[in-house]
Amino acid sequence: MNGRFESERKKMVEEHIIRRGITDEKVIEAILKVPRELFVEEAFQEKAYGDHSLPIGCGQTVSQPFMVALMTQYLKLSGTERVLEIGTGSGYQAAVLAELAQKVYTIERVKTLFEKAQKILSEKLRYKNIVTVFGDGTLGLANFAPFDRIIVTAAAPETPKILTDQLANNGILVVPKGDKFLQTLTIITKRDGELLIQDAGGCVFVPLIGKYGWREEVNGNR
Ligand code: SAH
């Protein structure tokens, strides 16, 4: 791996992850390990370690590193969990999760992005614990449920019931909930079949599009 990117990564973790309040050592280590420059469009590699979202093609973006770290920290991963991610995008968040969990299932609805992410994750970085799936993530992944953790990386109008149904007891679901322009990062914990809901502040994501998400035409998404 290129030394320059490595030192930029360290600086980014120092300035934007640790200084802004991420304390989970394992999350910090995972962010230090995953080469973010491989997940952004080539023209934006130089900017891979700024604390902002970046284009990944098909009108979609990879979240700013701080948001990736924050959402991951809310998942409280110990290493034994099976995690479902909805919205593979570039695959960056999936790679971070794979460093911290036992197995990651990740779903993407845009074929080009799905194929690109699959290549990077399995061929280039050789992750053995990531299963990439092409399809509508608002339906979850019934064949592999229940999941100990679920993370939605696109903005949902509501939390699809299908997803809370596929969450294991004591499981945690992290989802940006709101309209197209602004959402609240929502943390849902399942305890004895009950859902405890916590708001964790504002965030901005591209819309979750699908049967139990937004309709494509409404958002003008490609
Ligand atoms: N986690 C990604 C960033 C996600 S951007 C990363 O690390 O790069 C949001 C992604 O969600 C986009 O790629 C978009 O195509 C996808 N998406 C939107 N609705 C979806 C759905 N219903 N099922 C699966 N993926 C969806």
Side-chain angles (χ1 to χ4, degrees), residues 66-72 74 151-154 173-178 182-188 197-205:
F66 173 72
M67 188 50 72
V68 172
L70 186 68
M71 290 173 90
T72 309
Y74 275 119
I151 173 170
V152 183
T153 60
L173 188 159
V174 176
V175 54
K177 235 168 66 171
L182 183 66
Q183 306 99 35
T184 304
L185 189 62
T186 308
I187 320 297
I188 300 174
I197 297 169
Q198 178 197 345
D199 287 351
C203 55
V204 182
F205 280 80

Side-chain angles (χ1 to χ4, degrees), residues 31-191:
I31 304 263
L32 273 173
K33 204 163 161 196
V34 179
R36 184 169 158 94
E37 70 277 6
L38 297 183
F39 294 89
V40 302
E41 288 194 317
E42 226 168 286
F44 291 96
Q45 278 199 345
E46 300 290 316
K47 295 188 169 158
Y49 292 103
D51 193 40
H52 35 63
S53 58
L54 284 173
I56 55 172
C58 305
Q60 306 299 321
T61 53
V62 56
S63 305
Q64 61 173 145
F66 173 72
M67 188 50 72
V68 172
L70 186 68
M71 290 173 90
T72 309
Q73 181 167 268
Y74 275 119
L75 291 176
K76 297 184 183 158
L77 294 164
S78 70
T80 59
E81 297 84 1
R82 296 167 71 250
V83 183
L84 173 65
E85 180 195 23
I86 293 155
T88 313
S90 67
Y92 176 69
Q93 171 80 71
V96 171
L97 293 171
E99 296 288 340
L100 298 163
Q102 189 190 98
K103 190 142 193 173
V104 178
Y105 299 84
T106 181
I107 315 180
E108 173 56 54
R109 67 177 282 277
V110 177
K111 192 74 177 264
T112 316
L113 295 176
F114 157 75
E115 284 170 350
K116 208 164 146 192
Q118 190 180 43
K119 252 204 182 117
I120 296 174
L121 294 171
S122 71
E123 287 172 30
K124 201 154 193 170
L125 296 175
R126 298 186 180 280
Y127 280 103
K128 302 273 182 272
N129 60 341
I130 303 179
V131 178
T132 47
V133 179
F134 172 61
D136 178 3
T138 67
L139 302 172
L141 212 52
N143 289 351
F144 298 95
F147 297 96
D148 303 303
R149 304 288 188 266
I150 300 179
I151 173 170
V152 183
T153 60
E158 276 307 321
T159 314
K161 183 173 179 303
I162 261 185
L163 296 185
T164 51
D165 285 349
Q166 290 184 14
L167 187 64
N169 198 27
N170 295 318
I172 303 173
L173 188 159
V174 176
V175 54
K177 235 168 66 171
D179 62 27
K180 188 183 157 191
F181 304 102
L182 183 66
Q183 306 99 35
T184 304
L185 189 62
T186 308
I187 320 297
I188 300 174
T189 308
K190 198 185 239 187
R191 288 266 154 74

Side-chain angles (χ1 to χ4, degrees), residues 179-180 207-209 213-222:
D179 62 27
K180 188 183 157 191
L208 179 74
I209 294 169
W214 298 99
R215 284 173 44 214
E216 191 154 18
E217 316 82 74
V218 174
N219 292 280
N221 227 58
R222 274 149 287 181

